[in-house]
Amino acid sequence: MNGSTGVVYDETALIALGAGNSLASQFMSNTEHGPTRHVYVPALCLAAADGRRKGLADRVGALPAAEIVALDFAGAQAVGALLQAGVEWRLGQAIHLSRPTVDWPDGRPVLTAEPDLYADMPLVRTIRLPERR
């Protein structure tokens, strides 16, 4: 999207957000400052995070800035291929959303507390969340 910036929250970023991580909160609040800033929350990552931190899905779903992304047919195919390649299901949709598309030719970085999880994934950029102090 021309002139737009977007970031994809993975499971670890959602858990950090729920725990009060300031950078995770800052990305979310910055989207309220303009229509060209987007926070994408893959539904599979939200489900994984909610499984680890009960009630997190309700809280994230109530945030106006969070764009919950359903797993559509193309996404299901892409995640299925990643699963066949040995990628964990909780990462698959974040990887799919982060890769370049027509609308996002440079892709969208994944906000994560564990960037090493994506080290072997081509075309995936990450933003490391600092550990909470």
Side-chain angles (χ1 to χ4, degrees):
M1 297 180 100
N2 269 340
S4 292
T5 58
V7 66
V8 176
Y9 275 52
D10 76 355
E11 172 196 12
T12 66
L14 293 166
I15 290 170
L17 177 68
N21 180 284
S22 61
L23 184 59
S25 297
Q26 184 179 354
F27 273 107
M28 195 66 72
S29 66
N30 282 346
T31 63
E32 296 171 6
H33 298 293
T36 60
R37 297 176 187 225
H38 305 275
V39 169
Y40 297 97
V41 178
L44 290 179
C45 295
L46 185 57
D50 192 63
R52 291 181 50 198
R53 188 175 179 109
K54 185 178 180 184
L56 186 60
D58 289 333
R59 291 195 297 275
V60 172
L63 296 171
E67 296 181 40
I68 311 299
V69 181
L71 189 62
D72 61 8
F73 179 71
Q77 285 184 312
V79 171
L82 289 166
L83 292 173
Q84 289 175 11
V87 173
E88 293 181 50
W89 70 270
R90 63 187 184 96
L91 305 175
Q93 192 180 10
I95 292 168
H96 169 64
L97 291 176
S98 74
R99 290 187 168 157
T101 64
V102 172
D103 290 335
W104 295 95
D106 295 326
R108 295 169 275 191
V110 176
L111 185 65
T112 182
E114 298 179 34
D116 292 345
L117 295 172
Y118 302 92
D120 296 332
M121 291 294 111
L123 305 174
V124 177
R125 295 177 294 130
T126 59
I127 298 171
R128 177 190 290 274
L129 281 172
E131 291 187 29
R132 192 169 179 199
R133 297 179 192 143

